[in-house]
Amino acid sequence: MARKQPAPEAKPGPLRPSRDVFQQLRWDSRFTSLEVLVGYDTHSGALKEVPLVQFQPDGEIPWHRVWHFRVGSLLLWDRKERTDLLVDPEALASRL
């Protein structure tokens, strides 16, 4: 009798670029641009956060240095953890 092979684990898809998340959050009616914080690498080993409304796209901070977007303690998008709650409305709604 042949043994069943376990189903392979689903691999997460590619993480959306921070630029795409920024553009979505600018127009997302669930959040204000004052409550969303953008976390980025300062090159000093620390992260700094600024409100979305103060972040200048294509300005001084390049997109590859953006590490997360959050509201309160909820990480909406996180490069390190590979989290993107904005692509799954049900997951986001259950955490808000």
Side-chain angles (χ1 to χ4, degrees), residues 74-89:
L74 179 63
L75 286 171
L76 301 171
W77 181 92
D78 186 275
R79 182 185 307 273
K80 183 178 178 185
E81 299 297 324
R82 301 197 52 79
T83 302
D84 188 351
L85 295 180
L86 298 167
V87 297
D88 185 354

Side-chain angles (χ1 to χ4, degrees), residues 37-58:
L37 297 176
V38 180
Y40 63 92
D41 176 12
T42 62
H43 278 301
S44 66
L47 289 178
K48 183 176 180 178
E49 292 183 321
V50 296
L52 187 77
V53 70
Q54 292 178 3
F55 186 81
Q56 296 296 313
D58 301 318

Side-chain angles (χ1 to χ4, degrees), residues 1-61:
M1 184 171 184
R3 291 173 46 170
K4 271 190 161 180
Q5 294 292 325
E9 289 186 30
K11 293 182 181 178
L15 191 64
R16 290 188 304 154
S18 55
R19 176 192 302 257
D20 293 355
V21 177
F22 174 84
Q23 292 299 336
Q24 178 181 351
L25 287 168
R26 285 181 62 198
W27 305 108
D28 195 320
S29 61
R30 295 173 291 187
F31 311 105
T32 68
S33 57
L34 288 173
E35 69 183 332
V36 176
L37 297 176
V38 180
Y40 63 92
D41 176 12
T42 62
H43 278 301
S44 66
L47 289 178
K48 183 176 180 178
E49 292 183 321
V50 296
L52 187 77
V53 70
Q54 292 178 3
F55 186 81
Q56 296 296 313
D58 301 318
E60 198 173 294
I61 301 157

